[in-house]
Amino acid sequence: MIEDQRHSPKLLIGIAGGLIAVIALFMTYQWMIASNAEDLPQHQADALPAKAAPAEAVKAPPAAASEAAANTVKLVEEDILKAPVPENASLAKEEVAKLQDIQSQLSEQEKSLNAQHADADQLIKLKEEQIKLLEAQLAQKP
């Protein structure tokens, strides 16, 4: 290209128009996909109702326990432990893999929390020493 063609306003307008057209096509495609996804029926596995837990397993906790439960974050649903294992081998393998993934996440979180707890204990000890030193400095001043 020669110098005049590189700085041509027609070329810049063409490039900008092309980019706008590509963006408009992409947005139209996304909009059409989203509208089609709402019209599609749900997957059969999603549509299956969850099995109810036995009535004796679901009991009202005492008031103190319910307050403590409200303050804590629920990491794992308890019905996972009581759910029957699927008879289909591939579904059972998927369930086992999912439970192993959850277990590894929980163990990583436990390690992280233990490390944070140890760091907090160390910070408390250091702050106590700092307070003692500051008190000693204040006692030395006339």
Side-chain angles (χ1 to χ4, degrees):
M1 291 185 150
I2 59 174
E3 188 68 29
D4 291 338
Q5 288 178 339
R6 275 195 285 190
H7 298 295
S8 170
K10 289 182 182 178
L11 180 62
L12 292 175
I13 290 173
I15 292 173
L19 287 174
I20 290 172
V22 168
I23 292 171
L25 286 173
F26 178 75
M27 296 296 281
T28 304
Y29 175 76
Q30 291 294 325
W31 176 68
M32 290 176 67
I33 293 295
S35 64
N36 285 342
E38 293 172 357
D39 297 338
L40 294 176
Q42 290 183 347
H43 189 269
Q44 289 180 352
D46 295 338
L48 291 176
K51 297 200 178 208
E56 55 196 43
V58 178
K59 295 181 181 177
S66 65
E67 290 175 10
N71 293 336
T72 60
V73 177
K74 193 169 192 177
L75 297 176
V76 178
E77 298 292 328
E78 291 184 21
D79 61 344
I80 286 179
L81 300 173
K82 298 173 185 170
V85 176
E87 293 181 15
N88 189 348
S90 63
L91 291 177
K93 288 179 183 178
E94 288 178 13
E95 189 70 23
V96 168
K98 184 171 73 169
L99 291 174
Q100 287 175 343
D101 184 43
I102 290 171
Q103 184 64 37
S104 66
Q105 289 175 359
L106 289 173
S107 63
E108 288 174 11
Q109 187 175 13
E110 181 183 20
K111 289 177 185 176
S112 173
L113 290 173
N114 286 338
Q116 288 177 2
H117 186 68
D119 291 343
D121 287 343
Q122 186 179 7
L123 276 174
I124 290 171
K125 288 178 184 176
L126 291 173
K127 286 293 183 180
E128 287 174 351
E129 290 176 12
Q130 186 180 19
I131 290 172
K132 288 178 184 176
L133 291 173
L134 290 172
E135 287 175 349
Q137 286 179 355
L138 285 174
Q140 290 178 356
K141 288 186 178 182

